[in-house]
């Protein structure tokens, strides 16, 4: 809830500042229950104590050899979503979900095999950040903590709740994160990109490109049949970037499919006139995915060609051994389902 909604819940019997106190206790102090809201009078805490906050609970978690932790978080209706913490020496990144499953059906992604169960509420989106921050002693206000909405789901198909969650995450009186530290990733829902752009306070935007031609992208990402590549690139060129901001393009490399030098040259031409960077991701494998990871020399050659035009980075896979890497989130729960790594 935002402040106005909390005020409506309290009713006219409470002064307006009580809603601000509760808002602060929820998102700044990260309380587990309203009985713990020490900034409220004891009598009011007692009245509110029976209200459940609806924070997700850890049903299970898996630790990778590289320090990554993948959480299976249980929601109030019993459904589960995945949230991944990727700690590094100089920063930590929390990858959160926006839907239970995903409707977009990208052919290289394990989450697509689930289909869509439902969208998450704004509280369930924020709750993932609060859970991980609490469990690991992290402060969302810290400039070394990043949040990426790149887990299960297509964020722009749940835009209302994503925007509401973002407002609370970015509110200095709420969770208090910087817009430079939150990224929303989309497969390219063009009308929603324009809607997202109108928000005065919003996270950064990343576009999953993954192909260098319309035909190739239709095969890999069926959403392209509705939102064509040329129209997506026009939307990206029109996107209003802030002075400090670059648009991010993500490109998953599939062996013998979209990883050639010709593909790299076409990608460079597609993004040439956009203030952007490209993140290259070598496919993270999984059962039921009919593609292979390209050889390192192909990855390096692709990156080298794109880098002549725009900044291009190779995203290092994290949590491969526990199915926590990009495109692997499918609620895998038994060690027998995890990949065997050489």
């Amino acid at each position: 809830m935002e402040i106005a909604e909390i005020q409506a819940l309290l009713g006219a019997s409470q002064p307006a500042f009580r809603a601000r106190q509760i808002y602060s206790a929820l998102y700044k102090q990260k309380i587990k229950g309203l009985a713990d809201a020490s900034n409220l009078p004891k009598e009011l805490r007692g009245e509110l104590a029976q209200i459940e906050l609806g924070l997700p609970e850890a049903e299970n978690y898996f630790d990778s050899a590289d320090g990554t932790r993948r959480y299976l978080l249980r929601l109030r209706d019993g459904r589960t979503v995945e949230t991944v913490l990727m700690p590094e020496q100089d920063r930590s990144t929390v990858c959160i979900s926006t839907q239970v499953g995903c409707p977009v059906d990208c052919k290289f992604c394990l989450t697509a095999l689930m289909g869509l169960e439902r969208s998450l509420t704004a509280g369930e989106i924020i709750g993932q950040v609060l859970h991980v921050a609490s469990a690991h002693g992290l402060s969302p206000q810290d400039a070394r903590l990043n949040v990426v909405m790149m887990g299960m789901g297509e964020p722009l198909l749940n835009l209302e709740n994503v925007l509401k969650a973002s407002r609370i995450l970015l509110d200095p009186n709420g969770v208090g994160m910087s817009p430079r530290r939150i990224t929303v990733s989309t497969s390219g829902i063009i009308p929603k990109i324009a809607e997202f752009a109108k928000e005065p306070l919003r996270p950064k935007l990343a576009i999953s490109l993954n192909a260098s031609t319309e035909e190739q992208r239709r095969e890999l990402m069926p959403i392209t049949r509705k939102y064509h590549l040329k129209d997506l690139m026009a939307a990206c060129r029109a996107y209003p970037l802030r002075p400090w901001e670059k648009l991010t393009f993500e490109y998953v490399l599939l062996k013998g499919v979209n990883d050639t030098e010709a593909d790299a040259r076409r990608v460079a031409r597609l993004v040439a006139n956009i203030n952007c960077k490209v993140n290259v991701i070598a496919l993270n494998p999984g059962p039921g995915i009919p593609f292979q990871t390209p050889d390192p020399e192909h990855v390096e050659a692709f990156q080298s060609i794109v880098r002549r035009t725009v900044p291009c980075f190779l995203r290092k896979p994290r949590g491969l051994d526990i199915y926590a890497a990009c495109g692997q989130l499918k609620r895998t729960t038994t060690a027998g389902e995890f990949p065997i790594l050489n």
Side-chain angles (χ1 to χ4, degrees), residues 52-66:
E52 292 185 33
L53 299 189
L55 288 165
E57 297 179 4
E59 181 168 295
N60 211 336
Y61 65 84
F62 306 91
D63 287 326
S64 168
D66 66 18

Side-chain angles (χ1 to χ4, degrees), residues 117-153:
E117 294 183 21
R118 69 169 175 86
S119 289
L120 299 187
T121 66
E124 289 167 337
I125 294 169
I126 297 167
Q128 296 170 73
V129 179
L130 297 180
H131 180 93
V132 173
S134 175
H136 295 270
L138 301 171
S139 171
Q141 294 88 3
D142 195 321
R144 293 171 296 178
L145 181 65
N146 297 319
V147 169
V148 294
M149 297 189 194
M150 298 181 184
M152 300 166 70

Side-chain angles (χ1 to χ4, degrees), residues 257-278:
V257 177
N258 66 350
D259 65 339
T260 67
E261 293 186 6
D263 285 307
R265 287 190 290 270
R266 284 192 291 266
V267 168
R269 287 196 294 271
L270 283 172
V271 304
N273 297 318
I274 301 172
N275 183 15
C276 69
K277 65 177 182 178
V278 176

Side-chain angles (χ1 to χ4, degrees), residues 29-225:
Q29 300 173 32
K30 298 183 283 294
I31 59 171
K32 299 295 178 63
L34 289 173
D36 300 328
S38 58
N39 57 350
L40 299 177
K42 185 176 180 180
E43 183 180 347
L44 180 57
R45 292 203 306 269
E47 292 175 14
L48 298 175
Q50 75 278 8
I51 296 178
E52 292 185 33
L53 299 189
L55 288 165
E57 297 179 4
E59 181 168 295
N60 211 336
Y61 65 84
F62 306 91
D63 287 326
S64 168
D66 66 18
T68 299
R69 174 171 287 190
R70 175 170 65 87
Y71 281 99
L72 192 65
L73 296 181
R74 185 174 64 254
L75 309 174
R76 291 185 71 182
D77 64 357
R79 288 184 168 87
T80 55
V81 292
E82 295 196 294
T83 304
V84 179
L85 172 66
M86 294 166 281
E88 295 184 59
Q89 217 169 24
D90 59 343
R91 68 184 184 276
S92 293
T93 300
V94 183
C95 179
I96 65 175
S97 298
T98 55
Q99 295 179 307
V100 185
C102 185
V104 177
D105 196 27
C106 298
K107 300 305 181 183
F108 48 83
C109 180
L110 276 175
T111 311
L113 301 179
M114 296 175 56
L116 177 67
E117 294 183 21
R118 69 169 175 86
S119 289
L120 299 187
T121 66
E124 289 167 337
I125 294 169
I126 297 167
Q128 296 170 73
V129 179
L130 297 180
H131 180 93
V132 173
S134 175
H136 295 270
L138 301 171
S139 171
Q141 294 88 3
D142 195 321
R144 293 171 296 178
L145 181 65
N146 297 319
V147 169
V148 294
M149 297 189 194
M150 298 181 184
M152 300 166 70
E154 164 53 66
L156 296 196
L157 290 179
N158 187 20
L159 185 57
E160 182 180 352
N161 287 315
V162 164
L163 289 176
K164 184 178 182 183
S166 297
R167 286 195 299 271
I168 295 171
L169 288 169
L170 295 172
D171 185 353
N173 296 311
V175 178
M177 295 191 70
S178 163
R180 297 170 184 252
R181 294 290 172 180
I182 306 178
T183 303
V184 170
S185 178
T186 178
S187 60
I189 314 299
I190 295 172
K192 297 296 183 179
I193 291 174
E195 192 175 334
F196 182 82
K198 292 176 184 176
E199 282 294 305
L201 190 64
R202 64 180 186 273
K204 297 183 296 184
L205 184 65
I207 307 291
S208 290
L209 187 57
N210 307 318
S212 64
T213 68
E214 171 81 7
E215 296 72 25
Q216 189 183 73
R217 199 170 193 268
R218 282 189 181 209
E219 290 297 317
L220 298 175
M221 303 177 70
I223 195 76
T224 309
R225 296 168 193 166

